[in-house]
């Protein structure tokens, strides 16, 4: 892994974590937002699950089909100033 790809991967992980801090995210939603293949999005989510930066949440309803598994950032992982507006 090159330094550029490692930095991009960490930026993606941070972006997903911040997105999940606002509310539940789904695997297809992550893949679409960051224009990633589903397998790549799943690998990133698995990394965040192992680190404890994401946890599984209640299923997220979708217009058609089965509800999607949601992922959120645990409240304990938030810093006191993160997401605060000035």
């Amino acid at each position: 892994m090159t330094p550029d790809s490692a930095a991009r991967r960490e930026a993606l992980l941070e972006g997903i974590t911040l997105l999940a801090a606002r509310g539940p995210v789904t695997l297809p939603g992550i893949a679409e937002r960051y224009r990633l293949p589903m397998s790549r999005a799943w690998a990133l989510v698995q990394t965040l699950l192992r680190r404890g930066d994401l946890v599984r949440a209640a299923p997220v309803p979708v217009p058609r089909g089965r509800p999607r598994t949601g992922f959120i950032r645990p409240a304990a992982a938030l810093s006191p100033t993160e997401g605060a507006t000035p």
Side-chain angles (χ1 to χ4, degrees):
M1 187 178 286
T2 66
D4 286 341
S5 64
R8 183 173 191 278
R9 182 176 188 272
E10 286 302 316
L12 282 168
L13 291 169
E14 184 176 343
I16 293 167
T17 303
L18 291 173
L19 187 63
R22 289 193 245 152
V25 294
T26 63
L27 194 57
I30 292 168
E32 182 181 330
R33 180 179 184 95
Y34 294 105
R35 298 181 187 166
L36 300 169
M38 195 70 78
S39 60
R40 180 77 173 121
W42 177 234
L44 293 168
V45 168
Q46 286 179 317
T47 298
L48 292 169
L49 288 169
R50 275 194 304 274
R51 288 182 181 180
D53 291 335
L54 286 185
V55 294
R56 290 182 191 267
V60 177
V62 294
R64 295 180 56 167
R66 294 185 322 196
R68 306 276 187 214
T69 301
F71 300 96
I72 59 169
R73 186 167 183 193
L78 294 174
S79 69
T81 58
E82 190 169 336
T85 54

Coordinates of all heavy atoms in Angstrom, one line a residue:
M1 N 0.8 -1.2 0.0 CA 0.0 0.0 0.0 C 0.9 1.2 0.0 O 1.8 1.4 0.8 CB -0.9 0.0 1.2 CG -1.9 1.1 1.2 SD -3.0 1.0 2.7 CE -4.1 -0.3 2.3
T2 N 0.7 2.1 -1.0 CA 1.4 3.3 -1.1 C 1.0 4.3 0.0 O -0.1 4.2 0.5 CB 1.3 4.0 -2.4 OG1 0.0 4.4 -2.6 CG2 1.7 3.0 -3.5
P3 N 1.8 5.3 0.3 CA 1.4 6.3 1.3 C 0.2 7.1 0.9 O -0.7 7.4 1.7 CB 2.6 7.3 1.4 CG 3.8 6.4 1.0 CD 3.2 5.4 0.0
D4 N 0.0 7.3 -0.4 CA -1.2 8.0 -0.9 C -2.4 7.2 -0.7 O -3.5 7.7 -0.3 CB -1.0 8.4 -2.4 CG -0.1 9.5 -2.6 OD1 0.2 10.3 -1.7 OD2 0.4 9.7 -3.8
S5 N -2.3 5.9 -1.0 CA -3.5 5.0 -0.9 C -3.9 4.8 0.6 O -5.0 4.7 0.9 CB -3.3 3.7 -1.6 OG -2.3 2.9 -1.0
A6 N -2.8 4.7 1.4 CA -3.1 4.6 2.9 C -3.8 5.9 3.4 O -4.7 5.8 4.2 CB -1.8 4.4 3.6
A7 N -3.3 7.0 2.9 CA -3.9 8.3 3.4 C -5.4 8.4 2.9 O -6.3 8.8 3.6 CB -3.1 9.5 2.9
R8 N -5.6 8.0 1.6 CA -7.0 8.0 1.1 C -7.9 7.1 1.9 O -9.0 7.4 2.2 CB -7.0 7.6 -0.4 CG -8.4 7.7 -1.0 CD -8.3 7.5 -2.5 NE -9.6 7.8 -3.1 CZ -10.6 7.0 -3.2 NH1 -10.6 5.8 -2.7 NH2 -11.8 7.4 -3.8
R9 N -7.4 5.9 2.2 CA -8.2 4.9 3.0 C -8.5 5.5 4.3 O -9.7 5.4 4.8 CB -7.4 3.6 3.1 CG -8.1 2.5 3.9 CD -7.3 1.3 3.9 NE -8.0 0.2 4.4 CZ -8.1 -0.1 5.7 NH1 -7.5 0.6 6.6 NH2 -8.9 -1.2 6.1
E10 N -7.6 6.1 5.0 CA -7.9 6.7 6.3 C -8.9 7.8 6.2 O -9.7 8.0 7.1 CB -6.6 7.2 7.0 CG -5.7 6.0 7.6 CD -6.5 5.2 8.6 OE1 -7.2 5.7 9.4 OE2 -6.4 3.9 8.5
A11 N -8.8 8.6 5.1 CA -9.7 9.7 4.9 C -11.1 9.1 4.7 O -12.1 9.7 5.2 CB -9.3 10.5 3.7
L12 N -11.2 8.0 3.9 CA -12.5 7.4 3.7 C -13.1 6.9 5.0 O -14.3 7.0 5.3 CB -12.4 6.2 2.7 CG -12.3 6.6 1.2 CD1 -11.9 5.4 0.4 CD2 -13.7 7.2 0.8
L13 N -12.2 6.2 5.8 CA -12.7 5.7 7.1 C -13.2 6.9 8.0 O -14.2 6.7 8.7 CB -11.5 5.0 7.8 CG -11.1 3.7 7.2 CD1 -9.8 3.1 7.8 CD2 -12.2 2.6 7.3
E14 N -12.5 8.0 8.0 CA -12.9 9.1 8.8 C -14.2 9.7 8.3 O -15.1 10.0 9.1 CB -11.8 10.2 8.8 CG -12.2 11.4 9.7 CD -11.0 12.4 9.8 OE1 -9.9 12.1 9.5 OE2 -11.3 13.5 10.3
G15 N -14.3 9.8 7.0 CA -15.6 10.3 6.4 C -16.8 9.4 6.7 O -17.8 10.0 7.1
I16 N -16.6 8.1 6.7 CA -17.7 7.2 7.0 C -18.1 7.3 8.5 O -19.2 7.4 8.8 CB -17.3 5.8 6.6 CG1 -17.2 5.6 5.1 CG2 -18.3 4.8 7.2 CD1 -16.5 4.3 4.7
T17 N -17.1 7.5 9.3 CA -17.3 7.6 10.8 C -18.1 8.9 11.1 O -19.0 8.9 11.9 CB -16.0 7.6 11.5 OG1 -15.3 6.4 11.2 CG2 -16.2 7.6 13.0
L18 N -17.7 10.0 10.4 CA -18.4 11.3 10.7 C -19.8 11.2 10.1 O -20.7 11.7 10.7 CB -17.6 12.4 10.0 CG -16.2 12.7 10.7 CD1 -15.5 13.8 9.9 CD2 -16.5 13.2 12.1
L19 N -20.0 10.6 9.0 CA -21.3 10.4 8.4 C -22.2 9.6 9.4 O -23.4 10.0 9.6 CB -21.2 9.8 7.1 CG -22.5 9.7 6.2 CD1 -23.0 11.1 5.9 CD2 -22.2 8.9 4.9
A20 N -21.6 8.5 9.9 CA -22.4 7.7 10.8 C -22.7 8.4 12.1 O -23.6 8.0 12.9 CB -21.7 6.4 11.0
A21 N -22.0 9.4 12.5 CA -22.2 10.1 13.7 C -23.5 10.9 13.6 O -24.2 11.2 14.6 CB -21.0 11.0 14.1
R22 N -23.9 11.3 12.4 CA -25.1 12.0 12.2 C -26.4 11.2 12.1 O -27.5 11.7 12.3 CB -25.0 12.8 10.8 CG -24.1 13.9 10.9 CD -24.2 14.8 9.7 NE -23.0 14.7 8.9 CZ -23.0 14.9 7.6 NH1 -24.1 15.2 6.9 NH2 -21.9 14.9 7.0
G23 N -26.2 9.9 11.9 CA -27.4 9.0 11.9 C -27.0 7.7 11.2 O -25.9 7.6 10.7
P24 N -27.9 6.8 11.1 CA -27.5 5.5 10.5 C -27.2 5.6 9.1 O -27.8 6.3 8.3 CB -28.8 4.6 10.7 CG -29.8 5.4 11.5 CD -29.2 6.8 11.6
V25 N -26.1 4.9 8.7 CA -25.7 4.7 7.3 C -25.9 3.3 6.9 O -25.8 2.4 7.7 CB -24.3 5.2 7.1 CG1 -24.2 6.7 7.3 CG2 -23.3 4.5 7.9
T26 N -26.1 3.1 5.6 CA -26.2 1.7 5.1 C -25.0 1.4 4.1 O -24.4 2.4 3.6 CB -27.5 1.5 4.3 OG1 -27.5 2.4 3.2 CG2 -28.7 1.8 5.2
L27 N -24.7 0.2 3.9 CA -23.7 -0.2 3.0 C -23.9 0.3 1.6 O -23.0 1.0 1.0 CB -23.5 -1.7 3.0 CG -22.3 -2.3 2.4 CD1 -21.0 -1.7 3.1 CD2 -22.3 -3.8 2.5
P28 N -25.1 0.2 1.0 CA -25.3 0.8 -0.3 C -25.2 2.3 -0.3 O -24.7 2.9 -1.3 CB -26.7 0.3 -0.7 CG -27.0 -0.8 0.2 CD -26.2 -0.6 1.4
G29 N -25.6 2.9 0.8 CA -25.4 4.4 0.9 C -24.0 4.8 0.9 O -23.6 5.8 0.3
I30 N -23.1 4.1 1.6 CA -21.7 4.4 1.7 C -21.1 4.2 0.3 O -20.3 5.1 -0.2 CB -21.0 3.5 2.7 CG1 -21.5 3.9 4.1 CG2 -19.5 3.6 2.6 CD1 -21.1 2.9 5.2
A31 N -21.4 3.1 -0.3 CA -20.8 2.8 -1.7 C -21.2 3.9 -2.7 O -20.4 4.3 -3.5 CB -21.3 1.4 -2.1
E32 N -22.5 4.3 -2.6 CA -22.9 5.3 -3.6 C -22.3 6.7 -3.3 O -21.8 7.4 -4.2 CB -24.5 5.4 -3.5 CG -25.1 6.4 -4.4 CD -26.6 6.5 -4.3 OE1 -27.2 5.5 -4.0 OE2 -27.1 7.6 -4.6
R33 N -22.3 7.1 -2.0 CA -21.8 8.4 -1.6 C -20.3 8.5 -2.0 O -19.9 9.6 -2.5 CB -21.9 8.6 -0.1 CG -21.4 10.0 0.3 CD -21.7 10.1 1.8 NE -21.3 11.5 2.2 CZ -22.0 12.5 2.3 NH1 -23.3 12.4 2.1 NH2 -21.6 13.7 2.7
Y34 N -19.5 7.5 -1.8 CA -18.1 7.6 -2.0 C -17.7 6.9 -3.4 O -16.5 6.8 -3.6 CB -17.3 7.0 -0.9 CG -17.5 7.8 0.4 CD1 -18.3 7.3 1.4 CD2 -16.8 9.0 0.6 CE1 -18.5 8.1 2.6 CE2 -17.0 9.7 1.7 CZ -17.8 9.3 2.7 OH -18.0 10.0 3.8
R35 N -18.7 6.5 -4.2 CA -18.4 5.9 -5.5 C -17.5 4.7 -5.4 O -16.4 4.7 -6.1 CB -17.9 6.9 -6.5 CG -18.9 8.0 -6.7 CD -18.5 9.0 -7.7 NE -19.4 10.1 -7.7 CZ -19.2 11.3 -8.3 NH1 -18.0 11.5 -8.9 NH2 -20.1 12.2 -8.2
L36 N -17.8 3.8 -4.5 CA -17.0 2.6 -4.3 C -17.7 1.4 -4.7 O -19.0 1.3 -4.6 CB -16.6 2.5 -2.8 CG -15.9 3.6 -2.1 CD1 -15.9 3.5 -0.6 CD2 -14.5 3.7 -2.6
P37 N -17.0 0.3 -5.1 CA -17.7 -1.0 -5.2 C -18.2 -1.4 -3.9 O -17.6 -1.1 -2.8 CB -16.6 -1.9 -5.8 CG -15.4 -1.0 -6.0 CD -15.6 0.3 -5.4
M38 N -19.2 -2.2 -3.9 CA -19.8 -2.7 -2.6 C -18.8 -3.5 -1.8 O -18.8 -3.3 -0.6 CB -21.0 -3.6 -3.0 CG -21.9 -3.8 -1.8 SD -22.8 -2.4 -1.2 CE -24.1 -2.3 -2.5
S39 N -17.9 -4.2 -2.4 CA -17.0 -5.0 -1.7 C -16.0 -4.1 -1.0 O -15.5 -4.4 0.2 CB -16.2 -6.0 -2.6 OG -15.5 -5.3 -3.6
R40 N -15.6 -3.0 -1.6 CA -14.7 -2.1 -1.0 C -15.3 -1.3 0.2 O -14.7 -1.2 1.3 CB -14.2 -1.0 -2.0 CG -13.3 0.0 -1.5 CD -11.9 -0.6 -1.3 NE -11.0 0.5 -1.0 CZ -10.2 0.5 0.1 NH1 -10.3 -0.6 0.9 NH2 -9.5 1.5 0.4
A41 N -16.6 -1.0 0.0 CA -17.3 -0.3 1.1 C -17.5 -1.3 2.3 O -17.3 -0.9 3.4 CB -18.7 0.1 0.6
W42 N -17.7 -2.5 2.0 CA -17.9 -3.5 3.1 C -16.6 -3.7 3.8 O -16.5 -3.8 5.0 CB -18.4 -4.8 2.5 CG -18.5 -5.9 3.5 CD1 -18.0 -7.2 3.5 CD2 -19.2 -5.9 4.8 NE1 -18.3 -7.9 4.6 CE2 -19.1 -7.1 5.4 CE3 -20.0 -4.9 5.4 CZ2 -19.6 -7.4 6.7 CZ3 -20.5 -5.2 6.7 CH2 -20.4 -6.4 7.3
A43 N -15.4 -3.7 3.1 CA -14.1 -3.9 3.7 C -13.9 -2.7 4.7 O -13.3 -2.9 5.8 CB -13.0 -4.0 2.7
L44 N -14.2 -1.5 4.3 CA -14.1 -0.3 5.1 C -14.9 -0.4 6.4 O -14.5 -0.1 7.5 CB -14.3 1.0 4.3 CG -13.3 1.3 3.2 CD1 -13.9 2.4 2.3 CD2 -12.0 1.7 3.8
V45 N -16.2 -0.8 6.2 CA -17.1 -0.9 7.3 C -16.6 -2.0 8.3 O -16.7 -1.8 9.5 CB -18.6 -1.3 6.8 CG1 -19.4 -1.7 8.0 CG2 -19.2 0.0 6.1
Q46 N -16.1 -3.1 7.8 CA -15.6 -4.1 8.6 C -14.4 -3.6 9.5 O -14.3 -3.9 10.7 CB -15.1 -5.3 7.8 CG -16.3 -6.2 7.3 CD -15.8 -7.3 6.5 OE1 -14.9 -7.2 5.7 NE2 -16.4 -8.5 6.7
T47 N -13.5 -2.8 8.9 CA -12.4 -2.2 9.6 C -13.0 -1.3 10.7 O -12.5 -1.4 11.9 CB -11.5 -1.3 8.6 OG1 -11.0 -2.2 7.7 CG2 -10.4 -0.6 9.4
L48 N -14.0 -0.5 10.4 CA -14.5 0.4 11.5 C -15.2 -0.4 12.5 O -15.2 0.0 13.7 CB -15.5 1.4 10.8 CG -14.8 2.4 9.9 CD1 -15.8 3.2 9.1 CD2 -13.9 3.4 10.7
L49 N -15.9 -1.5 12.2 CA -16.5 -2.4 13.2 C -15.5 -3.0 14.1 O -15.7 -3.0 15.3 CB -17.3 -3.5 12.5 CG -18.6 -3.0 11.8 CD1 -19.2 -4.2 11.0 CD2 -19.7 -2.6 12.9
R50 N -14.4 -3.4 13.6 CA -13.3 -4.0 14.4 C -12.7 -3.0 15.3 O -12.3 -3.3 16.4 CB -12.2 -4.6 13.5 CG -12.5 -6.0 13.0 CD -11.2 -6.6 12.4 NE -10.6 -5.9 11.3 CZ -11.0 -6.0 10.1 NH1 -12.0 -6.8 9.7 NH2 -10.4 -5.2 9.1
R51 N -12.5 -1.8 14.8 CA -12.0 -0.7 15.6 C -12.9 -0.2 16.7 O -12.5 0.5 17.6 CB -11.6 0.5 14.8 CG -10.4 0.3 13.9 CD -10.2 1.6 13.1 NE -9.0 1.5 12.2 CZ -8.6 2.5 11.4 NH1 -9.3 3.6 11.4 NH2 -7.6 2.3 10.6
G52 N -14.2 -0.5 16.6 CA -15.2 0.0 17.5 C -15.7 1.4 17.2 O -16.4 2.0 18.0
D53 N -15.4 1.9 16.0 CA -15.8 3.2 15.5 C -17.2 3.1 15.0 O -17.9 4.2 14.9 CB -14.9 3.8 14.5 CG -13.5 4.1 15.1 OD1 -13.5 4.4 16.3 OD2 -12.6 4.2 14.3
L54 N -17.7 2.0 14.6 CA -19.1 1.8 14.1 C -19.7 0.6 14.9 O -19.0 -0.3 15.3 CB -19.2 1.4 12.6 CG -18.9 2.5 11.6 CD1 -19.2 2.0 10.2 CD2 -19.8 3.7 11.9
V55 N -21.0 0.6 15.0 CA -21.8 -0.5 15.6 C -23.0 -0.7 14.7 O -23.4 0.2 14.0 CB -22.2 -0.4 17.0 CG1 -21.0 -0.3 18.0 CG2 -23.0 0.9 17.2
R56 N -23.5 -1.9 14.7 CA -24.7 -2.2 13.9 C -25.9 -1.5 14.6 O -26.0 -1.4 15.9 CB -25.0 -3.7 13.9 CG -24.0 -4.4 13.0 CD -24.4 -5.9 12.9 NE -23.3 -6.6 12.3 CZ -23.2 -6.8 11.0 NH1 -24.2 -6.5 10.2 NH2 -22.2 -7.5 10.5
A57 N -26.8 -1.0 13.8 CA -28.0 -0.2 14.4 C -29.2 -0.9 13.9 O -29.2 -2.0 13.3 CB -28.0 1.2 13.8
A58 N -30.3 -0.4 14.2 CA -31.6 -0.9 13.8 C -31.7 -0.9 12.3 O -31.1 0.0 11.7 CB -32.8 -0.1 14.4
P59 N -32.4 -1.8 11.7 CA -32.5 -1.8 10.2 C -33.1 -0.5 9.7 O -34.0 0.1 10.4 CB -33.5 -3.0 9.9 CG -33.4 -3.8 11.1 CD -33.1 -2.9 12.3
V60 N -32.6 0.0 8.6 CA -33.1 1.2 8.0 C -34.1 0.9 6.9 O -33.8 0.1 6.0 CB -31.9 2.0 7.3 CG1 -32.4 3.2 6.6 CG2 -30.9 2.3 8.4
P61 N -35.3 1.4 7.0 CA -36.3 1.0 5.9 C -36.0 1.6 4.6 O -35.4 2.7 4.5 CB -37.6 1.6 6.5 CG -37.2 2.5 7.6 CD -35.8 2.2 8.0
V62 N -36.3 0.9 3.5 CA -36.1 1.4 2.2 C -37.4 1.3 1.4 O -38.3 0.6 1.8 CB -35.0 0.5 1.4 CG1 -33.7 0.7 2.1 CG2 -35.4 -0.9 1.4
P63 N -37.6 2.1 0.4 CA -38.9 2.2 -0.3 C -39.3 0.8 -0.8 O -40.5 0.5 -0.8 CB -38.6 3.1 -1.5 CG -37.4 3.9 -1.1 CD -36.6 3.1 -0.2
R64 N -38.4 0.0 -1.3 CA -38.8 -1.3 -1.8 C -37.8 -2.3 -1.3 O -36.6 -2.1 -1.3 CB -38.8 -1.3 -3.4 CG -39.8 -0.4 -4.0 CD -39.8 -0.5 -5.4 NE -39.9 -1.9 -5.9 CZ -40.2 -2.2 -7.1 NH1 -40.3 -1.3 -8.0 NH2 -40.3 -3.5 -7.5
G65 N -38.3 -3.5 -0.9 CA -37.4 -4.6 -0.5 C -37.2 -4.6 1.0 O -37.9 -3.9 1.8
R66 N -36.2 -5.5 1.4 CA -36.0 -5.6 2.8 C -35.3 -4.4 3.4 O -34.5 -3.8 2.7 CB -35.1 -6.9 3.0 CG -35.7 -8.2 2.7 CD -34.8 -9.3 3.0 NE -33.4 -9.0 2.7 CZ -32.5 -9.9 2.7 NH1 -32.8 -11.2 2.8 NH2 -31.2 -9.6 2.4
P67 N -35.5 -4.1 4.7 CA -34.7 -3.1 5.3 C -33.2 -3.4 5.3 O -32.8 -4.5 5.3 CB -35.2 -3.0 6.7 CG -36.6 -3.7 6.7 CD -36.5 -4.7 5.6
R68 N -32.4 -2.3 5.2 CA -31.0 -2.5 5.1 C -30.4 -2.4 6.5 O -30.9 -1.7 7.4 CB -30.4 -1.3 4.3 CG -30.9 -1.2 2.9 CD -30.2 -2.1 2.0 NE -30.7 -1.8 0.6 CZ -30.9 -2.7 -0.3 NH1 -30.6 -4.0 0.0 NH2 -31.3 -2.4 -1.5
T69 N -29.3 -3.1 6.8 CA -28.6 -3.0 8.0 C -28.0 -1.6 8.2 O -27.4 -1.1 7.2 CB -27.5 -4.0 8.1 OG1 -28.0 -5.3 8.0 CG2 -26.7 -3.9 9.4
G70 N -28.3 -1.0 9.3 CA -27.7 0.4 9.5 C -26.5 0.3 10.4 O -26.3 -0.7 11.2
F71 N -25.6 1.3 10.3 CA -24.4 1.4 11.1 C -24.4 2.8 11.6 O -24.7 3.7 10.9 CB -23.2 1.1 10.2 CG -23.2 -0.3 9.6 CD1 -23.6 -0.5 8.3 CD2 -22.7 -1.4 10.4 CE1 -23.6 -1.7 7.8 CE2 -22.7 -2.6 9.8 CZ -23.2 -2.8 8.5
I72 N -24.1 2.9 12.9 CA -23.9 4.2 13.6 C -22.6 4.3 14.3 O -22.0 3.2 14.6 CB -25.1 4.5 14.5 CG1 -25.2 3.5 15.6 CG2 -26.4 4.7 13.7 CD1 -26.2 3.8 16.7
R73 N -22.3 5.5 14.7 CA -21.1 5.7 15.5 C -21.6 5.6 17.0 O -22.5 6.4 17.3 CB -20.5 7.0 15.2 CG -19.2 7.2 16.0 CD -18.4 8.4 15.4 NE -17.2 8.5 16.1 CZ -16.4 9.5 16.0 NH1 -16.7 10.5 15.2 NH2 -15.3 9.6 16.6
P74 N -21.0 4.8 17.8 CA -21.4 4.8 19.2 C -21.2 6.2 19.9 O -20.2 6.9 19.6 CB -20.5 3.7 19.9 CG -19.5 3.3 18.9 CD -19.8 4.0 17.6
A75 N -22.1 6.5 20.8 CA -22.0 7.8 21.5 C -20.7 8.0 22.2 O -20.2 9.1 22.3 CB -23.2 8.0 22.4
A76 N -20.2 6.9 22.8 CA -19.0 7.0 23.6 C -17.8 7.4 22.8 O -16.8 7.9 23.3 CB -18.7 5.6 24.3
A77 N -17.9 7.1 21.5 CA -16.7 7.4 20.6 C -16.6 8.9 20.2 O -15.7 9.3 19.6 CB -16.8 6.6 19.3
L78 N -17.7 9.7 20.5 CA -17.7 11.1 20.1 C -16.9 11.9 21.0 O -16.9 11.7 22.2 CB -19.1 11.6 20.1 CG -20.1 11.1 19.0 CD1 -21.5 11.6 19.3 CD2 -19.6 11.4 17.6
S79 N -16.1 12.8 20.5 CA -15.3 13.7 21.4 C -16.3 14.8 21.8 O -17.3 15.1 21.1 CB -14.1 14.3 20.6 OG -14.6 15.2 19.6
P80 N -16.0 15.5 22.9 CA -17.0 16.5 23.4 C -17.2 17.7 22.5 O -18.3 18.3 22.5 CB -16.3 17.1 24.7 CG -15.2 16.1 25.0 CD -14.9 15.3 23.8
T81 N -16.3 18.0 21.6 CA -16.4 19.1 20.7 C -16.8 18.7 19.3 O -17.1 19.6 18.4 CB -15.2 20.0 20.6 OG1 -14.1 19.1 20.2 CG2 -14.8 20.6 22.0
E82 N -16.8 17.4 19.0 CA -17.1 17.0 17.6 C -18.5 17.3 17.2 O -19.5 17.0 18.0 CB -16.8 15.5 17.5 CG -16.9 15.0 16.0 CD -16.3 13.6 15.9 OE1 -15.6 13.2 16.8 OE2 -16.8 13.0 14.9
G83 N -18.7 17.9 16.1 CA -20.0 18.2 15.6 C -20.6 19.4 16.2 O -21.7 19.8 15.8
A84 N -19.9 20.1 17.1 CA -20.4 21.3 17.7 C -20.3 22.5 16.7 O -19.3 22.6 16.0 CB -19.6 21.7 19.0
T85 N -21.3 23.3 16.7 CA -21.2 24.5 15.8 C -20.7 25.7 16.6 O -21.0 25.8 17.8 CB -22.6 24.9 15.3 OG1 -23.5 25.0 16.3 CG2 -23.1 23.8 14.3
P86 N -19.9 26.5 16.0 CA -19.3 27.7 16.7 C -20.3 28.7 17.1 O -21.3 28.8 16.6 CB -18.2 28.2 15.7 CG -18.5 27.6 14.4 CD -19.4 26.4 14.6

